[in-house]
Amino acid sequence: MAKPQPTVQPKLVVTKFGFNRFAEQFNGRAAMIGFAALLIIEYFTGQNPLAWMGLGLN
């Protein structure tokens, strides 16, 4: 005997908060931009990011 199928499809609410696909993609893109910015700063200033912020290790 076949199982009965539902007659109504539930509406799925996609949120912009929490662990979801949008949040993970946004976080990954922001991290890539930040990493590229650190490389550019290091290239043009000749200092590592810690020294550039005044936190250099002696």
Side-chain angles (χ1 to χ4, degrees):
M1 183 173 193
K3 292 183 180 180
Q5 297 296 320
T7 57
V8 178
Q9 285 283 358
K11 290 186 179 182
L12 298 176
V13 178
V14 179
T15 62
K16 299 284 185 193
F17 301 103
F19 293 106
N20 59 37
R21 186 176 189 93
F22 172 79
E24 294 300 318
Q25 284 181 342
F26 184 77
N27 187 30
R29 290 174 182 159
M32 288 185 280
I33 291 170
F35 185 73
L38 283 176
L39 290 176
I40 291 168
I41 289 170
E42 186 171 352
Y43 178 77
F44 284 112
T45 63
Q47 298 177 340
N48 66 27
L50 290 176
W52 180 74
M53 291 185 289
L55 301 172
L57 303 172
N58 293 333

PDB file of all heavy atoms in Angstrom, residues 27-48:
ATOM      1  N   ASN A  27      30.547  35.558   5.251  1.00  0.00           N
ATOM      2  CA  ASN A  27      31.708  35.506   6.130  1.00  0.00           C
ATOM      3  C   ASN A  27      32.962  35.102   5.348  1.00  0.00           C
ATOM      4  O   ASN A  27      34.036  35.673   5.555  1.00  0.00           O
ATOM      5  CB  ASN A  27      31.452  34.529   7.273  1.00  0.00           C
ATOM      6  CG  ASN A  27      32.546  34.566   8.305  1.00  0.00           C
ATOM      7  OD1 ASN A  27      33.177  35.593   8.508  1.00  0.00           O
ATOM      8  ND2 ASN A  27      32.777  33.445   8.954  1.00  0.00           N
ATOM      9  N   GLY A  28      32.848  34.142   4.473  1.00  0.00           N
ATOM     10  CA  GLY A  28      33.987  33.716   3.670  1.00  0.00           C
ATOM     11  C   GLY A  28      34.486  34.814   2.744  1.00  0.00           C
ATOM     12  O   GLY A  28      35.691  35.027   2.605  1.00  0.00           O
ATOM     13  N   ARG A  29      33.565  35.531   2.130  1.00  0.00           N
ATOM     14  CA  ARG A  29      33.957  36.629   1.245  1.00  0.00           C
ATOM     15  C   ARG A  29      34.611  37.760   2.022  1.00  0.00           C
ATOM     16  O   ARG A  29      35.601  38.348   1.564  1.00  0.00           O
ATOM     17  CB  ARG A  29      32.742  37.124   0.476  1.00  0.00           C
ATOM     18  CG  ARG A  29      32.275  36.104  -0.540  1.00  0.00           C
ATOM     19  CD  ARG A  29      30.994  36.513  -1.198  1.00  0.00           C
ATOM     20  NE  ARG A  29      30.572  35.465  -2.128  1.00  0.00           N
ATOM     21  CZ  ARG A  29      29.348  35.311  -2.552  1.00  0.00           C
ATOM     22  NH1 ARG A  29      28.398  36.142  -2.153  1.00  0.00           N
ATOM     23  NH2 ARG A  29      29.056  34.340  -3.382  1.00  0.00           N
ATOM     24  N   ALA A  30      34.089  38.076   3.193  1.00  0.00           N
ATOM     25  CA  ALA A  30      34.690  39.121   4.024  1.00  0.00           C
ATOM     26  C   ALA A  30      36.100  38.716   4.462  1.00  0.00           C
ATOM     27  O   ALA A  30      37.011  39.555   4.484  1.00  0.00           O
ATOM     28  CB  ALA A  30      33.810  39.396   5.239  1.00  0.00           C
ATOM     29  N   ALA A  31      36.302  37.453   4.782  1.00  0.00           N
ATOM     30  CA  ALA A  31      37.625  36.977   5.177  1.00  0.00           C
ATOM     31  C   ALA A  31      38.607  37.066   4.018  1.00  0.00           C
ATOM     32  O   ALA A  31      39.769  37.448   4.202  1.00  0.00           O
ATOM     33  CB  ALA A  31      37.533  35.531   5.681  1.00  0.00           C
ATOM     34  N   MET A  32      38.162  36.737   2.803  1.00  0.00           N
ATOM     35  CA  MET A  32      39.045  36.836   1.634  1.00  0.00           C
ATOM     36  C   MET A  32      39.445  38.280   1.362  1.00  0.00           C
ATOM     37  O   MET A  32      40.606  38.565   1.037  1.00  0.00           O
ATOM     38  CB  MET A  32      38.371  36.227   0.405  1.00  0.00           C
ATOM     39  CG  MET A  32      38.282  34.723   0.440  1.00  0.00           C
ATOM     40  SD  MET A  32      37.630  34.014  -1.064  1.00  0.00           S
ATOM     41  CE  MET A  32      35.888  34.269  -0.823  1.00  0.00           C
ATOM     42  N   ILE A  33      38.502  39.208   1.501  1.00  0.00           N
ATOM     43  CA  ILE A  33      38.804  40.628   1.293  1.00  0.00           C
ATOM     44  C   ILE A  33      39.782  41.113   2.354  1.00  0.00           C
ATOM     45  O   ILE A  33      40.741  41.835   2.049  1.00  0.00           O
ATOM     46  CB  ILE A  33      37.512  41.462   1.293  1.00  0.00           C
ATOM     47  CG1 ILE A  33      36.700  41.145   0.042  1.00  0.00           C
ATOM     48  CG2 ILE A  33      37.816  42.951   1.387  1.00  0.00           C
ATOM     49  CD1 ILE A  33      35.303  41.727   0.044  1.00  0.00           C
ATOM     50  N   GLY A  34      39.578  40.716   3.598  1.00  0.00           N
ATOM     51  CA  GLY A  34      40.483  41.109   4.674  1.00  0.00           C
ATOM     52  C   GLY A  34      41.885  40.563   4.477  1.00  0.00           C
ATOM     53  O   GLY A  34      42.872  41.264   4.693  1.00  0.00           O
ATOM     54  N   PHE A  35      41.997  39.320   4.046  1.00  0.00           N
ATOM     55  CA  PHE A  35      43.307  38.723   3.817  1.00  0.00           C
ATOM     56  C   PHE A  35      44.021  39.420   2.672  1.00  0.00           C
ATOM     57  O   PHE A  35      45.215  39.717   2.755  1.00  0.00           O
ATOM     58  CB  PHE A  35      43.158  37.224   3.526  1.00  0.00           C
ATOM     59  CG  PHE A  35      44.471  36.520   3.391  1.00  0.00           C
ATOM     60  CD1 PHE A  35      45.262  36.277   4.501  1.00  0.00           C
ATOM     61  CD2 PHE A  35      44.919  36.096   2.156  1.00  0.00           C
ATOM     62  CE1 PHE A  35      46.475  35.629   4.384  1.00  0.00           C
ATOM     63  CE2 PHE A  35      46.138  35.448   2.021  1.00  0.00           C
ATOM     64  CZ  PHE A  35      46.917  35.215   3.137  1.00  0.00           C
ATOM     65  N   ALA A  36      43.298  39.727   1.594  1.00  0.00           N
ATOM     66  CA  ALA A  36      43.896  40.439   0.462  1.00  0.00           C
ATOM     67  C   ALA A  36      44.346  41.835   0.888  1.00  0.00           C
ATOM     68  O   ALA A  36      45.414  42.306   0.487  1.00  0.00           O
ATOM     69  CB  ALA A  36      42.907  40.522  -0.692  1.00  0.00           C
ATOM     70  N   ALA A  37      43.555  42.501   1.736  1.00  0.00           N
ATOM     71  CA  ALA A  37      43.932  43.828   2.220  1.00  0.00           C
ATOM     72  C   ALA A  37      45.215  43.754   3.045  1.00  0.00           C
ATOM     73  O   ALA A  37      46.089  44.622   2.920  1.00  0.00           O
ATOM     74  CB  ALA A  37      42.799  44.427   3.043  1.00  0.00           C
ATOM     75  N   LEU A  38      45.356  42.737   3.880  1.00  0.00           N
ATOM     76  CA  LEU A  38      46.585  42.586   4.664  1.00  0.00           C
ATOM     77  C   LEU A  38      47.795  42.368   3.765  1.00  0.00           C
ATOM     78  O   LEU A  38      48.868  42.927   4.017  1.00  0.00           O
ATOM     79  CB  LEU A  38      46.455  41.423   5.647  1.00  0.00           C
ATOM     80  CG  LEU A  38      45.634  41.692   6.892  1.00  0.00           C
ATOM     81  CD1 LEU A  38      45.501  40.422   7.718  1.00  0.00           C
ATOM     82  CD2 LEU A  38      46.253  42.796   7.710  1.00  0.00           C
ATOM     83  N   LEU A  39      47.643  41.579   2.713  1.00  0.00           N
ATOM     84  CA  LEU A  39      48.753  41.370   1.786  1.00  0.00           C
ATOM     85  C   LEU A  39      49.134  42.661   1.075  1.00  0.00           C
ATOM     86  O   LEU A  39      50.319  42.958   0.897  1.00  0.00           O
ATOM     87  CB  LEU A  39      48.391  40.291   0.760  1.00  0.00           C
ATOM     88  CG  LEU A  39      48.290  38.865   1.289  1.00  0.00           C
ATOM     89  CD1 LEU A  39      47.834  37.934   0.181  1.00  0.00           C
ATOM     90  CD2 LEU A  39      49.611  38.414   1.866  1.00  0.00           C
ATOM     91  N   ILE A  40      48.145  43.445   0.680  1.00  0.00           N
ATOM     92  CA  ILE A  40      48.416  44.712  -0.004  1.00  0.00           C
ATOM     93  C   ILE A  40      49.112  45.696   0.933  1.00  0.00           C
ATOM     94  O   ILE A  40      50.085  46.355   0.554  1.00  0.00           O
ATOM     95  CB  ILE A  40      47.102  45.304  -0.573  1.00  0.00           C
ATOM     96  CG1 ILE A  40      46.612  44.419  -1.717  1.00  0.00           C
ATOM     97  CG2 ILE A  40      47.285  46.734  -1.025  1.00  0.00           C
ATOM     98  CD1 ILE A  40      45.196  44.723  -2.172  1.00  0.00           C
ATOM     99  N   ILE A  41      48.648  45.782   2.179  1.00  0.00           N
ATOM    100  CA  ILE A  41      49.280  46.666   3.164  1.00  0.00           C
ATOM    101  C   ILE A  41      50.735  46.260   3.393  1.00  0.00           C
ATOM    102  O   ILE A  41      51.632  47.103   3.438  1.00  0.00           O
ATOM    103  CB  ILE A  41      48.490  46.667   4.490  1.00  0.00           C
ATOM    104  CG1 ILE A  41      47.164  47.393   4.309  1.00  0.00           C
ATOM    105  CG2 ILE A  41      49.296  47.279   5.617  1.00  0.00           C
ATOM    106  CD1 ILE A  41      46.219  47.250   5.482  1.00  0.00           C
ATOM    107  N   GLU A  42      50.964  44.962   3.519  1.00  0.00           N
ATOM    108  CA  GLU A  42      52.327  44.485   3.748  1.00  0.00           C
ATOM    109  C   GLU A  42      53.219  44.787   2.552  1.00  0.00           C
ATOM    110  O   GLU A  42      54.374  45.183   2.712  1.00  0.00           O
ATOM    111  CB  GLU A  42      52.326  42.991   4.037  1.00  0.00           C
ATOM    112  CG  GLU A  42      53.692  42.452   4.423  1.00  0.00           C
ATOM    113  CD  GLU A  42      53.639  41.019   4.904  1.00  0.00           C
ATOM    114  OE1 GLU A  42      52.540  40.478   5.083  1.00  0.00           O
ATOM    115  OE2 GLU A  42      54.715  40.442   5.104  1.00  0.00           O
ATOM    116  N   TYR A  43      52.698  44.651   1.366  1.00  0.00           N
ATOM    117  CA  TYR A  43      53.487  44.905   0.155  1.00  0.00           C
ATOM    118  C   TYR A  43      53.880  46.382   0.064  1.00  0.00           C
ATOM    119  O   TYR A  43      55.035  46.711  -0.216  1.00  0.00           O
ATOM    120  CB  TYR A  43      52.693  44.485  -1.085  1.00  0.00           C
ATOM    121  CG  TYR A  43      53.421  44.755  -2.378  1.00  0.00           C
ATOM    122  CD1 TYR A  43      54.448  43.920  -2.795  1.00  0.00           C
ATOM    123  CD2 TYR A  43      53.083  45.835  -3.173  1.00  0.00           C
ATOM    124  CE1 TYR A  43      55.126  44.162  -3.977  1.00  0.00           C
ATOM    125  CE2 TYR A  43      53.743  46.094  -4.355  1.00  0.00           C
ATOM    126  CZ  TYR A  43      54.770  45.256  -4.752  1.00  0.00           C
ATOM    127  OH  TYR A  43      55.435  45.507  -5.917  1.00  0.00           O
ATOM    128  N   PHE A  44      52.941  47.281   0.288  1.00  0.00           N
ATOM    129  CA  PHE A  44      53.211  48.701   0.102  1.00  0.00           C
ATOM    130  C   PHE A  44      53.962  49.342   1.271  1.00  0.00           C
ATOM    131  O   PHE A  44      54.705  50.302   1.069  1.00  0.00           O
ATOM    132  CB  PHE A  44      51.915  49.469  -0.171  1.00  0.00           C
ATOM    133  CG  PHE A  44      51.409  49.283  -1.563  1.00  0.00           C
ATOM    134  CD1 PHE A  44      50.234  48.598  -1.796  1.00  0.00           C
ATOM    135  CD2 PHE A  44      52.103  49.779  -2.643  1.00  0.00           C
ATOM    136  CE1 PHE A  44      49.760  48.407  -3.085  1.00  0.00           C
ATOM    137  CE2 PHE A  44      51.646  49.606  -3.944  1.00  0.00           C
ATOM    138  CZ  PHE A  44      50.476  48.922  -4.165  1.00  0.00           C
ATOM    139  N   THR A  45      53.769  48.850   2.496  1.00  0.00           N
ATOM    140  CA  THR A  45      54.454  49.450   3.642  1.00  0.00           C
ATOM    141  C   THR A  45      55.771  48.760   3.971  1.00  0.00           C
ATOM    142  O   THR A  45      56.609  49.337   4.654  1.00  0.00           O
ATOM    143  CB  THR A  45      53.569  49.426   4.899  1.00  0.00           C
ATOM    144  OG1 THR A  45      53.302  48.073   5.252  1.00  0.00           O
ATOM    145  CG2 THR A  45      52.286  50.193   4.676  1.00  0.00           C
ATOM    146  N   GLY A  46      55.946  47.530   3.534  1.00  0.00           N
ATOM    147  CA  GLY A  46      57.158  46.787   3.854  1.00  0.00           C
ATOM    148  C   GLY A  46      57.183  46.282   5.288  1.00  0.00           C
ATOM    149  O   GLY A  46      58.213  45.841   5.771  1.00  0.00           O
ATOM    150  N   GLN A  47      56.074  46.364   5.982  1.00  0.00           N
ATOM    151  CA  GLN A  47      55.979  45.891   7.359  1.00  0.00           C
ATOM    152  C   GLN A  47      54.903  44.815   7.453  1.00  0.00           C
ATOM    153  O   GLN A  47      53.936  44.841   6.703  1.00  0.00           O
ATOM    154  CB  GLN A  47      55.582  47.031   8.299  1.00  0.00           C
ATOM    155  CG  GLN A  47      56.556  48.169   8.363  1.00  0.00           C
ATOM    156  CD  GLN A  47      56.044  49.289   9.252  1.00  0.00           C
ATOM    157  OE1 GLN A  47      54.855  49.384   9.513  1.00  0.00           O
ATOM    158  NE2 GLN A  47      56.947  50.123   9.711  1.00  0.00           N
ATOM    159  N   ASN A  48      55.099  43.907   8.403  1.00  0.00           N
ATOM    160  CA  ASN A  48      54.038  42.929   8.608  1.00  0.00           C
ATOM    161  C   ASN A  48      52.858  43.604   9.294  1.00  0.00           C
ATOM    162  O   ASN A  48      52.997  44.698   9.845  1.00  0.00           O
ATOM    163  CB  ASN A  48      54.548  41.707   9.371  1.00  0.00           C
ATOM    164  CG  ASN A  48      54.959  42.015  10.783  1.00  0.00           C
ATOM    165  OD1 ASN A  48      54.458  42.946  11.394  1.00  0.00           O
ATOM    166  ND2 ASN A  48      55.886  41.221  11.312  1.00  0.00           N
TER     167      ASN A  48
END
